[in-house]
């Protein structure tokens, strides 16, 4: 960490009684966008995440598997980190509440609060929900059950240490009202103020009937209550209790990002604990909305969990990031539906962004041998594209600035997509293929250069949102990956792409998803192409026919695609190995296909079918229920061209 105070950004630390789901992933993705955007702007950032390991449910899960809780937490930590890495989450520190530094911080803070006289022993009797890890008052229950989990809370009666939260009620209210601790969005701020005005009670912060936790420094037979323990992660990662210099440089947190269900812990209990110990309070708490599965809250306890890992394996991490960021307003609740996911993927990612890059790279190859030409005089159309690109940074910066009262990832992406669509229209209207035919070299050079430079700026501005896509895009434009190309200047200066640089061969960023049974999806592929005739004709020209690449292929392996009768996944040697999904499952058994020679269309645009990338098509006669594969009368070698 450098000498300058970093922008200190945190997410909630997750319970590890289950793996991440779409809801917990959503929070981490949003925080990651902010961290990446801040880094892009050039400031130092400290982005903290972690796991919350000392909970009743974590211990239960461990014991159910015959594991010591520590061994169980170690295993889960590996899996959590693997998922976050795959999702492109760029945290600078991943804290676990079983880390030594955390135990030191908890012990130090506990002692300090105790020294201030804010901790006392008393007998406690209350209703406790294990899933919330929280006490409820009788009146907060719904028909005697936890309002979130629908389960009956347990009555707990034991000697507990208490934290004198009530002493801080007035000061916390004043801090929130005066904006010394900003609570966003507005609806959460009002909720919190209402809770405080309803009266705050002291809270129990130790357990004697439970042994999985950090022992109380003043009474080793008690362990620290999981929430008191968990909140302290934010200062333990910053160095509290083990590295005072680091702590002085890092604290306070600039932004705690947490879900709406736990905002109250962060805006009431946490500031009170810090105030008691004489530490600075966090500057901003954002309580985001929930992602539901068609209206029902996703929860580890309820079990209706969509696995981010599964979706990532099928469609790539950025498709998931894009969908969650674009389809939900951060402060409000959102709904996950597979239909919307697929529609956004095909329309926004495959057709708009993917197609724009594909068109540009193809043009550079077709008209300029893969070398980016220099631009000439700027016309009005060029100017409006350039201005739209230069407007990206200020617009996105504002949408991501919480001091406006909200953080609007979906609006930032909408603004970016305005430029993507404008760039596609720019190509449609200026028709480079016509300029090529007319021999208007200067205009053609300008249009190609402007579209390429626009894509470069799009790559940079997209890098916080879709980091993998941004890298792939910039690489195809011939840009080196490095801080010199991912920085504020790269986002605010037009014309940085050097003329004369070589673009790579086109690789589709987002192969379109087609419906599971092989039918085209609801969103049609873009029909525009720089050299396609405007209308589909009944006959095709010889050139068009020649552009189709047919090769001899040998099936090396075949298996059924789960949950369909019709689809088979084939591994085919066509001179190079490729995977194809073919709708021949009702007529062929996989084991009968191995070693069979087939005719393959090898230059068909790849598509995703049931999450499998299908790179071509085997030719067959007949209809769905009776399909006959085309074959050969004599021997052929895999890869031979068919003429
Ligand atoms: N361990 C506590 C947090 C302690 S922070 C000092 C906890 N863990 S959790 O695993 O249940 O939730 C982690 C985060 O994910 C929380 O901010 C929570 O609000 C958020 N979400 C849990 N389910 C969610 C959705 N369905 N949608 C969006 N966010 C969700 O709470």
């Amino acid at each position: 960490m450098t000498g300058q105070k970093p922008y200190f950004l945190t997410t909630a630390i997750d319970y590890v009684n289950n793996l991440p789901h779409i809801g917990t992933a959503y929070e981490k993705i949003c925080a990651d966008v902010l961290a990446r955007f801040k880094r892009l702007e050039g400031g130092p950032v400290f982005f903290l995440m972690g796991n919350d390991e000392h909970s009743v449910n974590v211990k239960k899960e461990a014991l159910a598997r015959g594991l010591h809780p520590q061994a169980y937490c170690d295993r889960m930590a590996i899996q959590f980190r693997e998922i976050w890495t795959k999702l492109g989450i760029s945290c600078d520190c991943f804290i676990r509440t079983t880390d030594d530094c955390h135990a030191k911080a908890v012990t130090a803070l506990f002692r300090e609060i105790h020294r201030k006289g804010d901790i006392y022993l008393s007998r406690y009797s209350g209703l406790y929900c294990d899933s919330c890890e929280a006490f409820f008052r009788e009146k907060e229950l719904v028909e005697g059950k936890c309002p979130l989990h629908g389960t009956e809370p347990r009555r707990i009666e034991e000697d507990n240490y208490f934290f004198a939260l009530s002493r801080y009620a007035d000061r916390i209210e004043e801090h929130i009202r005066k904006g010394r601790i900003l609570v966003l969005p507005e609806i959460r701020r009002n909720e919190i103020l209402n809770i405080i005005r309803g009266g705050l009670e002291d809270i129990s912060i130790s357990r004697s009937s439970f042994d999985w936790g950090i022992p109380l420094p003043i009474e080793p037979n008690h362990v620290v209550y999981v929430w008191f323990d968990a909140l302290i992660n934010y200062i333990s990662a910053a160095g509290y209790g083990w590295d005072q210099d680091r702590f002085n440089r890092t604290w306070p947190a600039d932004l705690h990002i947490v879900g709406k269900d736990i905002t109250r812990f962060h805006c009431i209990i946490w500031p009170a604990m810090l105030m008691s110990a004489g530490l600075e309070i966090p500057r901003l708490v954002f309580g985001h909305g929930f992602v539901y599965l068609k209206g029902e809250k996703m929860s580890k306890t309820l079990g209706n969990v969509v696995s981010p890992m599964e979706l990532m394996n099928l469609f790539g991490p950025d498709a998931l990031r894009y969908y969650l960021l674009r389809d939900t307003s951060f402060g409000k609740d959102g709904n996950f539906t597979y239909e919307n996911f697929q529609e956004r993927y095909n329309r926004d990612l495959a057709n708009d962004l993917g197609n724009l890059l594909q068109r540009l790279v193809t043009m550079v190859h077709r008209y300029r041998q893969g070398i980016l030409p220099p631009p000439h005089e700027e016309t009005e159309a060029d100017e409006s594209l350039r201005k739209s690109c230069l407007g990206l940074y200020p617009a996105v910066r504002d949408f991501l600035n919480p001091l406006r009262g909200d953080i609007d990832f979906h609006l930032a992406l909408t603004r970016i997509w305005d430029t993507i669509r404008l760039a596609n229209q720019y190509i449609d209207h200026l028709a480079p293929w016509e300029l090529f035919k007319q021999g208007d070299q200067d205009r053609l050079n300008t249009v190609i250069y402007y579209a390429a430079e626009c894509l470069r700026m799009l790559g940079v501005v997209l890098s916080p949102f879709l980091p993998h896509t941004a890298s792939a895009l910039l690489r195809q434009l011939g840009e080196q990956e490095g801080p010199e190309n991912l920085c504020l200047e790269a986002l605010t200066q037009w014309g940085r792409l050097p003329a004369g640089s070589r673009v790579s061969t086109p690789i589709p960023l987002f192969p379109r998803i087609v419906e599971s049974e092989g039918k085209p999806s609801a969103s049609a592929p873009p029909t525009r192409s720089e050299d396609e005739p405007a209308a589909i004709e009944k006959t095709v020209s010889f050139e068009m026919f020649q552009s189709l690449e047919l090769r001899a292929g040998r099936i090396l392996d075949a298996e059924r695609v789960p949950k369909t009768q019709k689809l088979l996944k084939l591994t085919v040697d066509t001179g190079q190995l490729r995977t194809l999904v073919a709708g021949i499952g009702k007529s062929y058994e996989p084991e009968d296909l191995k070693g069979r020679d087939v005719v393959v269309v090898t230059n068909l645009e790849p598509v995703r079918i049931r999450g499998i990338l299908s790179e071509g098509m085997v030719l067959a006669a007949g209809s769905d229920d009776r399909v006959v594969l085309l074959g050969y009368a004599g021997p052929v070698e895999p890869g031979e061209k068919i003429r």
Side-chain angles (χ1 to χ4, degrees):
M1 226 177 279
T2 58
Q4 191 189 343
K5 177 179 171 348
Y7 186 81
F8 185 7
L9 163 80
T10 73
T11 65
I13 52 173
D14 292 356
Y15 291 131
V16 295
N17 48 314
N18 220 322
L19 287 172
H21 56 70
I22 296 284
T24 46
Y26 172 60
E27 176 178 280
K28 313 305 181 268
I29 292 169
C30 292
D32 185 61
V33 174
L34 295 176
R36 286 177 181 269
F37 192 75
K38 287 272 173 202
R39 290 191 201 110
L40 193 61
E41 287 186 306
V45 171
F46 183 49
F47 172 22
L48 171 68
M49 283 174 33
N51 281 352
D52 190 353
E53 304 184 324
H54 291 131
S55 92
V56 174
N57 287 319
V58 169
K59 183 173 176 185
K60 265 192 210 156
E61 277 300 319
L63 297 183
R65 287 173 168 72
L67 289 172
H68 185 277
Q70 187 64 61
Y72 171 79
C73 290
D74 292 347
R75 275 193 199 178
M76 292 302 274
I78 294 171
Q79 296 189 57
F80 267 76
R81 298 204 62 165
E82 196 189 325
I83 294 175
W84 300 143
T85 306
K86 252 203 146 156
L87 247 186
I89 305 296
S90 63
C91 65
D92 299 295
C93 176
F94 191 87
I95 191 156
R96 298 175 50 192
T97 52
T98 52
D99 284 343
D100 281 348
C101 71
H102 180 66
K104 283 185 187 145
V106 171
T107 306
L109 192 80
F110 192 98
R111 281 193 197 286
E112 193 52 27
I113 296 177
H114 186 246
R115 203 175 61 80
K116 294 280 170 63
D118 281 337
I119 289 176
Y120 62 91
L121 184 67
S122 181
R123 184 139 193 92
Y124 191 81
S125 164
L127 294 163
Y128 193 73
C129 169
D130 283 341
S131 297
C132 292
E133 295 281 11
F135 284 101
F136 278 91
R137 297 186 207 176
E138 208 90 48
K139 65 176 181 192
E140 290 171 325
L141 302 177
V142 177
E143 293 173 0
K145 296 190 173 148
C146 162
L148 281 179
H149 296 94
T151 47
E152 250 176 62
R154 291 188 290 139
R155 179 158 292 281
I156 289 186
E157 202 164 343
E158 58 184 37
D159 283 339
N160 281 179
Y161 283 88
F162 279 74
F163 170 56
L165 178 65
S166 55
R167 283 186 201 160
Y168 293 90
D170 293 345
R171 268 179 282 169
I172 294 171
E173 187 185 348
E174 195 186 334
H175 284 328
I176 294 179
R177 272 197 302 103
K178 298 210 164 141
R180 282 185 216 120
I181 172 168
L182 266 178
V183 182
L184 291 175
E186 184 73 15
I187 181 173
R188 298 276 109 76
R189 180 175 177 271
N190 294 338
E191 255 168 44
I192 298 295
L193 286 172
N194 282 340
I195 295 176
I196 300 172
R197 284 173 196 143
L200 296 183
E201 289 176 8
D202 293 350
I203 56 161
S204 147
I205 56 162
S206 76
R207 294 280 172 280
S208 56
S209 55
F210 186 60
D211 61 357
W212 174 235
I214 297 172
L216 246 57
I218 53 167
E219 170 66 271
N221 293 330
H222 286 228
V223 292
V224 177
Y225 166 50
V226 61
W227 266 103
F228 200 82
D229 168 339
L231 288 163
I232 297 172
N233 90 84
Y234 303 125
I235 54 172
S236 41
Y240 186 80
W242 59 278
D243 185 342
Q244 193 57 37
D245 274 355
R246 176 184 167 102
F247 183 67
N248 294 342
R249 276 197 314 271
T250 315
W251 192 253
D254 293 275
L255 173 59
H256 287 315
I257 290 185
V258 294
K260 63 178 183 179
D261 56 333
I262 62 169
T263 314
R264 63 199 165 110
F265 292 91
H266 287 78
C267 298
I268 299 175
I269 302 177
W270 180 225
M273 288 162 65
L274 292 165
M275 278 190 258
S276 169
L279 301 176
E280 274 190 72
I281 55 176
R283 292 179 177 154
L284 207 163
V285 177
F286 195 103
H288 61 78
F290 265 61
V291 178
Y292 293 92
L293 267 184
K294 289 201 176 137
E296 210 176 327
K297 182 186 145 182
M298 237 170 284
S299 120
K300 293 167 187 173
T301 329
L302 295 173
N304 54 349
V305 171
V306 171
S307 150
M309 203 61 173
E310 243 169 64
L311 280 167
M312 268 194 290
N313 288 342
L314 292 176
F315 306 108
D318 283 0
L320 178 59
R321 289 175 71 111
Y322 179 75
Y323 173 71
L324 289 172
L325 292 163
R326 176 64 188 80
D327 231 46
T328 306
S329 156
F330 193 43
K332 304 204 177 94
D333 293 337
N335 233 328
F336 180 93
T337 72
Y338 184 72
E339 295 75 48
N340 286 349
F341 173 82
Q342 176 166 328
E343 200 180 314
R344 283 229 173 265
Y345 179 104
N346 278 343
R347 190 182 55 213
D348 300 1
L349 296 176
N351 291 4
D352 291 339
L353 177 59
N355 189 46
L356 177 63
L357 179 66
Q358 185 103 4
R359 295 174 98 184
L360 179 269
V361 174
T362 309
M363 284 190 316
V364 182
H365 280 283
R366 194 159 300 166
Y367 305 134
R368 291 295 179 256
Q369 292 74 47
I371 307 291
L372 193 72
H376 285 259
E377 242 165 69
E378 185 182 79
T379 65
E380 228 173 85
D382 308 329
E383 186 191 6
S384 74
L385 185 66
R386 178 171 59 79
K387 287 195 168 152
S388 176
C389 293
L390 287 170
L392 283 166
Y393 171 63
V396 172
R397 180 194 55 201
D398 286 352
F399 285 128
L400 300 191
N401 179 7
L403 300 179
R404 275 172 49 253
D406 224 327
I407 304 176
D408 290 309
F409 300 104
H410 68 300
L411 296 180
L413 285 171
T414 307
R415 170 62 186 82
I416 296 173
W417 252 255
D418 286 345
T419 298
I420 294 175
R421 295 197 174 118
L422 183 70
N424 270 317
Q425 285 163 12
Y426 173 82
I427 296 178
D428 292 343
H429 291 152
L430 296 179
W433 47 96
E434 293 298 335
L435 298 172
F436 180 70
K437 276 191 209 149
Q438 293 156 11
D440 193 345
Q441 306 301 346
D442 287 354
R443 271 313 284 147
L444 180 60
N445 283 351
T446 307
V447 173
I448 291 180
Y449 185 86
Y450 269 60
E453 177 61 1
C454 167
L455 268 158
R456 181 195 65 77
M457 289 187 86
L458 285 167
V460 181
V461 78
L462 278 173
S463 63
F465 300 87
L466 311 178
H468 309 87
T469 305
S471 302
L473 186 159
L474 291 170
R475 270 200 310 272
Q476 286 196 49
L477 291 178
E479 284 282 270
Q480 301 300 321
E481 249 181 284
E484 68 286 2
N485 289 328
L486 281 182
C487 57
L488 189 56
E489 291 72 36
L491 201 47
T492 52
Q493 291 172 357
W494 174 265
R496 284 170 68 99
L497 203 53
S501 61
R502 175 170 286 282
V503 306
S504 80
T505 46
I507 307 160
L509 294 177
F510 295 99
R512 283 180 346 99
I513 305 173
V514 295
E515 286 292 339
S516 51
E517 287 297 306
K519 293 181 211 115
S521 69
S523 117
T527 48
R528 54 189 182 225
S529 156
E530 63 272 20
D531 48 10
E532 261 175 30
I536 297 168
E537 295 173 18
K538 291 216 170 73
T539 56
V540 294
S541 66
F542 186 64
E543 285 82 16
M544 266 187 99
F545 173 70
Q546 270 204 320
S547 65
L548 202 65
E549 193 180 82
L550 299 171
R551 286 186 188 274
R554 185 161 299 152
I555 299 178
L556 302 182
D557 200 9
E559 58 184 276
R560 292 204 172 270
V561 175
K563 297 186 204 148
T564 82
Q565 288 185 327
K566 203 178 116 185
L567 300 179
L568 296 184
K569 178 181 166 193
L570 310 176
T571 308
V572 183
D573 180 0
T574 54
Q576 73 183 79
L577 283 192
R578 60 179 71 222
T579 302
L580 308 177
V581 177
I584 56 173
K586 289 189 183 162
S587 308
Y588 290 92
E589 288 303 325
E591 48 280 15
D592 299 336
L593 290 172
K594 286 180 197 162
R596 188 171 182 127
D597 288 328
V598 285
V599 182
V600 182
V601 186
T602 47
N603 64 345
L604 204 60
E605 184 197 13
V607 289
R608 277 190 196 280
I609 303 174
R610 291 268 165 144
I612 304 166
L613 190 64
S614 182
E615 304 161 289
M617 183 195 270
V618 279
L619 294 188
S623 61
D624 275 2
D625 293 335
R626 191 196 61 85
V627 184
V628 183
L629 284 168
L630 260 59
Y632 307 88
V636 288
E637 277 310 305
E640 265 183 68
K641 215 165 171 195
I642 295 167
R643 290 171 296 132

